[in-house]
Amino acid sequence: EIVIMQSPGTLSVSPGERVALSCRASQSVGSDLAWYQQKSGQPPRLLISDTSTRATGIPARFSGSGFGTEFTLTISSLQSEDVAIYYCQQYNMWPLTFGGGTRVEIK
Amino acid sequence: QFHVVESGGGVVQPGGSLRLSCFSSGFVFHTFGMYWARQAPGKGLEWVAFVENDGSKKYIDSVRGRFTISRDNSKNTLYLDMSNLTPEDTAVYYCGKPQVGFAPRPLDVWGQGALVTVSS
């Protein structure tokens, strides 16, 4: 099983600041990495697939990068509506596995 | 617009059984593999099971032999039959549709979830 680790656990950021969330896989997943956003009381929403492809309707301030075992989700300018928990997921190999999430808060 | 709606959640005693259903609309159901995932209270996401459009199935180890995923393409409905439930199975269960492409793919449509509570 591929283990996914996310860091930091919580991030407190001022509006307008740049945010970088890290995701690390225990073995290479190539570019088979997705990011989801989950707001309180809601189901997850797909933000990015294939490491860097934004899903339909996702603002351009969200971007993804990386390959193999190291990945980053960047929010270029944090908005208040971006408060959420962000999860990365690998889909290179069964079982599909998620990271533990990074909580993003407004400072 | 794509929609999936889960139903069938509830409270069940340890060792009991429950069936979850997921009705899909807005897309050609029989052409997609479908997923179940879950989220324990206050915890992260966990993939549970997958059924391909040809009926082949995959499970996470912790539920294999206890849970059965199935589908009825004539009813656009996905099922999860859960038996021998334990308190560790307590979670919100989500049904999900993947992006187009060869499995596995990320989920681009999620339901609102069905809460399953295993407690005596």
Side-chain angles (χ1 to χ4, degrees):
Chain A
E1 172 175 319
I2 297 176
V3 177
I4 304 292
M5 298 296 293
Q6 291 188 243
S7 61
T10 302
L11 210 49
S12 186
V13 182
S14 298
E17 282 192 4
R18 184 182 184 88
V19 177
L21 283 60
S22 176
C23 176
R24 177 174 294 178
S26 60
Q27 63 189 77
S28 178
V29 300
S31 60
D32 297 334
L33 194 286
W35 290 92
Y36 299 87
Q37 176 193 65
Q38 187 176 33
K39 297 182 179 181
S40 180
Q42 296 184 19
R45 177 175 71 152
L46 180 66
L47 293 177
I48 286 175
S49 60
D50 301 329
T51 298
S52 60
T53 302
R54 279 190 302 277
T56 302
I58 301 303
R61 66 179 180 274
F62 292 93
S63 63
S65 62
F67 184 81
T69 62
E70 301 279 347
F71 300 88
T72 302
L73 174 69
T74 301
I75 309 174
S76 60
S77 175
L78 188 74
Q79 307 298 304
S80 57
E81 62 264 31
D82 300 334
V83 168
I85 300 175
Y86 292 83
Y87 295 95
C88 59
Q89 178 209 23
Q90 68 80 21
Y91 49 96
N92 180 261
M93 185 181 300
W94 302 99
L96 310 186
T97 46
F98 291 88
T102 291
R103 182 183 300 272
V104 174
E105 302 174 339
I106 293 286
K107 188 183 293 183
Chain B
Q1 193 56 273
F2 307 143
H3 286 291
V4 295
V5 179
E6 303 92 343
S7 61
V11 180
V12 60
Q13 292 188 339
S17 300
L18 204 62
R19 168 177 260 205
L20 301 181
S21 301
C22 170
F23 177 73
S24 304
S25 61
F27 60 97
V28 184
F29 180 75
H30 69 85
T31 65
F32 285 89
M34 293 292 292
Y35 293 78
W36 287 101
R38 67 184 178 183
Q39 187 169 35
K43 302 296 184 182
L45 298 166
E46 181 177 54
W47 166 75
V48 174
F50 167 76
V51 59
E52 186 56 277
N53 54 0
D54 66 0
S56 58
K57 303 171 185 180
K58 293 189 182 293
Y59 300 94
I60 194 171
D61 284 349
S62 60
V63 309
R64 188 176 292 112
R66 300 188 299 122
F67 289 14
T68 301
I69 188 172
S70 61
R71 62 192 298 158
D72 185 337
N73 291 336
S74 69
K75 297 180 179 178
N76 284 3
T77 301
L78 177 73
Y79 301 101
L80 187 67
D81 288 294
M82 304 181 291
S83 64
N84 197 17
L85 286 160
T86 74
E88 289 69 40
D89 297 314
T90 294
V92 174
Y93 285 73
Y94 294 104
C95 162
K97 167 199 162 294
Q99 290 182 318
V100 171
F102 291 108
R105 291 294 300 168
L107 304 187
D108 61 359
V109 179
W110 295 68
Q112 288 298 310
L115 176 61
V116 173
T117 302
V118 184
S119 174
S120 54

